[in-house]
Every structure is written in structure tokens, then in C-alpha cells.
Amino acid sequence: MFTDSDKQKIYSDTMHRIWLLIDDSTDWIAALSTIVSELHSSFDQFHWTGFYRTVRNKHLQVGPYQGEHGCIDIPFSQGVCGAAARLGMTQLIRDVREFEGHIACSPTTLSEIVVPVLDSHDETVAILDIDSNELEAFDDTDRENLEELCRKLGKRFTQMIST
Ligand code: SME
């Protein structure tokens, strides 16, 4: 198990690589895929790492992601992902069994964090969902780093989808 400062160092290195890799990208899916790949391969405790994109009428559609197959479509009204999308706020769930309405795409998931990506009108355009087979795998270090990532990504959204 690593310390908080080990975790922060991994995040700092990972974020540095992510922004180097996607800096010139104007393609939304290419950018999301690269982010997922970098995050998923940086942390052993992440067993599912991916985005759901807002596609129509308050629904989320899976992808890009890494891990076993995820639920294809999640309405804003359901699950941890739906709550993050609907409220525009991070959901840090230390024990998914305590979240009423948690959608168990994988029966082994014990904790998860879901961070919304908001556009310039504060509309949720995507959510980043990371699941772990470990209990309490996520803490404020994860929240702060992933929120900063999603904030920067939200700012790039308009540029990326318009090309
Ligand atoms: N657990 C999520 C569903 C997505 S999958 O875990 C990949 C939820 O409750 O919204």
C-alpha cells in the first residue's frame, strides 16, 4: 500500500503525461481514450476506468473505458453516475453497498468515484467513473486530482467537439 504522497506523485506524473499527450488534440474521443488509458495503467487499485458521455435527453452512454464491459446506457436519474451527472458534483463512494441505487455493473466493485465534466454553461457533458475492488480506495487526493482534470477537460470540450 502506498502513502498519500506516493499517490500524489503518481497523479502528478500521470496528469503531466496526459496533458502532454492530448495538448494538441482537437478530437474528443481521442482525448478521453488517452486519459482513460493513462489513469487505468497508473493505479493497480483501479479495475474499471472510463467515461460516460451525455448523449440525449439526460442519458449517459458508455465509453471510452478500460476494464470489463460496463452498462451501456445510464439515465441521469439512476446510479452513482446518474447522481454525478444530475447534480454536477463528484460522488465519492467509500462503500458502494451503502449507496442506495448503486448500479453493479461488476459484482466485485466495492468503492468508486464519479466526477462530472461540465461545459461552459455548467451542463454535464460526460462523467469520469473509476471503480475499485477495494473498499475505501478513493480519498480527497483522488477527488482533487480528478476534479482538476475534469475541470480542464470541460474547458477544452467546445474546442474538441467542434472540429
Ligand atoms: N456503478 C455505476 C455504474 C457504472 S459501472 O460501475 C461501470 C453507477 O452506480 O452509476
Side-chain angles (χ1 to χ4, degrees):
M1 192 53 199
F2 48 55
T3 64
D4 281 353
S5 76
D6 293 337
K7 187 191 259 190
Q8 183 52 53
K9 170 85 172 88
I10 297 172
Y11 267 117
S12 300
D13 293 348
T14 305
M15 295 305 167
H16 183 69
R17 282 197 310 279
I18 284 173
W19 290 106
L20 275 181
L21 287 164
I22 70 171
D23 194 43
D24 292 335
S25 177
T26 51
D27 186 278
W28 183 231
I29 298 297
L32 298 188
S33 303
T34 303
I35 291 169
V36 166
S37 171
E38 284 298 324
L39 285 174
H40 194 71
S41 54
S42 294
F43 291 96
D44 291 341
Q45 70 272 31
F46 295 0
H47 82 94
W48 196 96
T49 309
F51 286 95
Y52 278 84
R53 291 155 296 109
T54 303
V55 285
R56 64 186 149 75
N57 198 20
K58 308 275 181 203
H59 276 251
L60 297 163
Q61 200 80 14
V62 75
Y65 68 94
Q66 293 205 10
E68 293 182 8
H69 73 262
C71 310
I72 303 277
D73 182 279
I74 299 178
F76 272 30
S77 56
Q78 290 179 18
V80 183
C81 294
R86 188 173 69 248
L87 303 170
M89 285 172 57
T90 298
Q91 307 294 306
L92 197 165
I93 312 298
R94 295 173 196 277
D95 181 348
V96 296
R97 295 165 297 192
E98 291 177 359
F99 186 97
E100 201 180 324
H102 168 254
I103 302 166
C105 291
S106 163
T108 60
T109 298
L110 286 175
S111 59
E112 73 177 277
I113 186 166
V114 183
V115 182
V117 180
L118 307 177
D119 68 9
S120 52
H121 306 290
D122 280 344
E123 296 291 332
T124 299
V125 294
I127 59 89
L128 171 61
D129 177 14
I130 306 179
D131 297 353
S132 178
N133 288 335
E134 293 174 17
L135 208 53
E136 302 185 351
F138 305 101
D139 58 20
D140 284 342
T141 302
D142 300 278
R143 177 199 289 271
E144 283 157 20
N145 284 279
L146 298 173
E147 284 183 345
E148 189 186 350
L149 169 69
C150 289
R151 232 183 345 262
K152 287 169 80 171
L153 193 57
K155 285 191 179 157
R156 295 279 297 274
F157 173 74
T158 309
Q159 174 198 357
M160 285 181 176
I161 58 154
S162 62
T163 52

